[in-house]
Amino acid sequence: MTTVNRLTADDDLFLKLHSLYGNALVNQLAWRFDEPLDRTLLDRFHTQLATGFLARRVRRARTPLARPYWLPATRSLPLSWDSTPISEDEILDWYFAQSRVDFDPTTGRVWRLSAVPTTTGGTLVSLVTSHVASDGGAVLFAVGDALTRLTGDDLSASSGRRTAARTLTEATRSPSSGRLVGQAPRHAVRANLFDAGRQLRAVAKGIRAAIAARAVTEPDRNPRPDTPPLALPPRWSPADLVVQLDLAAWNAAAAAHSGTTNGLLIALGAGLLGRSGRVGDTADIRVDIPHSMRTPDDPRANATTGLPIAVTYRTGHRIDLPAVRAAVKKAAIAYRDPATTPALQHLQPLQMVLPRFVLHRFARTAKAPECLCTNLGETAQTVADIAGHRAAAVLMRPVVCTNDTDMFRRVEVGISLSFTTDGHTITLAVTGADPDYFPTRTTLRTLVTAELESWGLTPHFW
């Protein structure tokens, strides 16, 4: 049964950041097909997405302190279809260009599906989503659900029970339409007053927990070095790469140094930050590791927490993989217990009720992660097949969008890595978002090549 689905503290924070910075950060699910895909198929895929879990919009509550809630969207951005084929060396630029989109969480325009043919006869497909309305887990669930319904339409059409050309009006009557997204409260005033009371109790509980956990600390981030800035244009696009590697070779390298698959990913991120000169010798780099909290039939747009660990960088040496493994284990155990969870985590209910101008002031002085490492494993393979067409590669990554060059320096953003695999090949997305330490894609590629070679790994770049 669909119920009222209030925004979480993470949803609320991303919504406030959207109002301040716009689409500074989006998520991208990207498919690379070696075969052509018909536009009609993608139109039908778009229709299923437009009536599923991603199709949500924010409705603000009129009662003070009551949380906004999600409603099924009634609008979506149309499929972006470019009929002009692109060449191999234009692929990365095309994927990045899809991040240039204006989202509006209040209308439900929070995702865009795009596609383009390649000169080699393949097809590139991109789904860019607003972080306000979905984290990576929500995107994978929504796409998997849409693909299941798309396949179901194909089977129904082939058996003659109904046509595959399903209209949007018909689609909105599907049991999946609005499923888990939420509905408006039946008695709005009463429901919102009740929620406002719950929020006040949550704030009080959070403050008490924060006081109890005031001695709990987490790794500090390194301040950005005060070096002369490079001569760059006023607006800048972060350097991005996609590299493919052999999974067996990756795991062999990790095992040879007493590490794990995930540990080597973290080591690679920390090593790249150190090689760039962004941190110095013996620096303890803060690495943030996204960890999904999503449960079955979870209605939340964002259900991810971050595990921060400290990784020591030593110039000319590989990162210590056993130390990384121990740090990850310690952080995971700590975040399961409120008593060992940092105080700031307990104050999320307070964040939701603070006036917008106060949060905007905090946001303007907040810092971005210096190193973010996301390991999606084989989860993206659940959406690799679109109606019988199997993608040669699937990639999921955060995209740091084009913005003011000085803004990147002010928030001190560093580097992010996103890891996916099909069980044989790793597809690794790397983004260097510090304009003075990763000024160009060529600079980033040189650093990535050197770091991978130090582990005995051979990269194959897109």
Side-chain angles (χ1 to χ4, degrees), residues 53-54 56 133-144 292 294 298-304 396:
F53 195 68
L54 284 183
R56 56 176 67 204
S134 57
D135 60 11
V139 172
L140 290 174
F141 173 83
V143 172
S292 177
R294 192 165 296 279
D298 197 325
R300 291 177 291 178
N302 288 279
T304 304
M396 194 163 191

Side-chain angles (χ1 to χ4, degrees), residues 21-295:
Y21 291 116
N23 301 318
L25 176 71
V26 297
N27 287 322
Q28 183 177 52
L29 180 59
W31 294 262
R32 184 171 178 176
F33 293 89
D34 291 337
E35 59 184 308
L37 266 62
D38 186 73
R39 175 170 182 170
T40 302
L41 171 62
L42 293 173
D43 278 328
R44 290 169 47 227
F45 180 33
H46 181 278
T47 297
Q48 299 296 350
L49 289 171
T51 56
F53 195 68
L54 284 183
R56 56 176 67 204
R57 58 190 171 96
V58 174
R59 171 66 64 85
R60 297 188 185 277
R62 295 183 179 180
T63 304
L65 303 185
R67 293 171 296 168
Y69 49 89
W70 294 108
L71 292 178
T74 54
R75 300 179 183 178
S76 63
L77 293 168
L79 171 69
S80 175
W81 176 269
D82 189 344
S83 59
T84 305
I86 66 169
S87 62
E88 189 79 12
D89 59 3
E90 296 175 301
I91 288 177
L92 283 183
D93 289 336
W94 183 85
Y95 277 125
F96 184 83
Q98 306 319 301
S99 68
R100 299 187 180 103
V101 56
D102 290 327
F103 287 135
D104 183 1
T106 62
T107 65
R109 294 186 177 97
V110 291
W111 57 276
R112 182 175 72 172
L113 185 68
S114 310
V116 67
T118 65
T119 55
T120 56
T123 308
L124 307 182
V125 181
S126 163
L127 176 64
V128 171
T129 56
S130 166
H131 219 318
V132 177
S134 57
D135 60 11
V139 172
L140 290 174
F141 173 83
V143 172
D145 177 61
L147 291 175
T148 297
R149 288 183 284 121
L150 179 64
T151 302
D153 275 355
D154 284 342
L155 293 174
S156 295
S158 64
S159 66
R161 288 191 294 270
R162 55 185 305 195
T163 64
R166 183 181 186 185
T167 65
L168 182 61
T169 302
E170 290 173 326
T172 58
R173 292 198 292 265
S174 164
S176 185
S177 177
R179 179 162 61 96
L180 297 179
V181 170
Q183 65 181 15
R186 295 181 62 183
H187 305 286
V189 174
R190 184 193 311 167
N192 288 336
L193 284 172
F194 179 75
D195 189 70
R198 288 183 60 182
Q199 283 298 95
L200 285 175
R201 291 191 293 273
V203 168
K205 180 180 178 181
I207 290 174
R208 289 195 299 270
I211 292 173
R214 63 187 180 277
V216 177
T217 60
E218 59 182 16
D220 290 328
R221 67 191 314 287
N222 293 283
R224 187 173 184 273
D226 186 16
T227 55
L230 298 180
L232 296 170
R235 290 180 66 80
W236 178 75
S237 298
D240 66 326
L241 286 173
V242 177
V243 55
Q244 291 190 302
L245 302 115
D246 181 72
L247 178 61
W250 178 283
N251 286 338
H257 296 90
S258 304
T260 63
T261 301
N262 191 55
L264 183 51
L265 172 65
I266 294 167
L268 181 62
L272 288 171
L273 199 69
R275 283 181 184 273
S276 73
R278 168 70 182 261
V279 298
D281 187 27
T282 71
D284 285 334
I285 298 171
R286 173 174 168 142
V287 180
D288 287 280
I289 308 165
H291 177 67
S292 177
M293 306 294 286
R294 192 165 296 279
T295 59

Side-chain angles (χ1 to χ4, degrees), residues 17 197 303 392 403 443:
L17 291 174
N403 215 311
T443 302

Side-chain angles (χ1 to χ4, degrees), residues 283-414:
D284 285 334
I285 298 171
R286 173 174 168 142
V287 180
D288 287 280
I289 308 165
H291 177 67
S292 177
M293 306 294 286
R294 192 165 296 279
T295 59
D297 296 329
D298 197 325
R300 291 177 291 178
N302 288 279
T304 304
T305 190
L307 300 179
I309 67 169
V311 177
T312 303
Y313 173 76
R314 292 183 175 85
T315 304
H317 294 79
R318 286 183 289 266
I319 301 296
D320 185 340
L321 293 189
V324 170
R325 182 170 54 187
V328 172
K329 183 177 180 180
K330 181 180 178 180
I333 293 172
Y335 267 64
R336 293 181 194 141
D337 184 355
T340 53
T341 300
L344 192 61
Q345 294 289 323
H346 298 294
L347 295 177
Q348 287 185 328
L350 178 61
Q351 161 217 305
M352 295 190 72
V353 302
L354 287 176
R356 188 174 298 272
F357 75 88
V358 174
L359 288 173
H360 277 193
R361 182 172 182 179
F362 286 147
R364 289 186 182 279
T365 59
K367 303 301 181 183
E370 62 177 340
C371 185
L372 179 69
C373 294
T374 305
N375 184 351
L376 293 164
E378 295 188 43
T379 56
Q381 289 303 304
T382 61
V383 296
D385 189 294
I386 299 181
H389 300 272
R390 188 77 180 180
V394 184
L395 170 69
M396 194 163 191
R397 64 175 182 171
V399 179
V400 185
C401 305
T402 302
N403 215 311
D404 295 339
T405 309
D406 286 339
M407 186 277 292
F408 290 108
R409 294 171 174 139
R410 185 175 68 251
V411 302
E412 300 184 7
V413 62

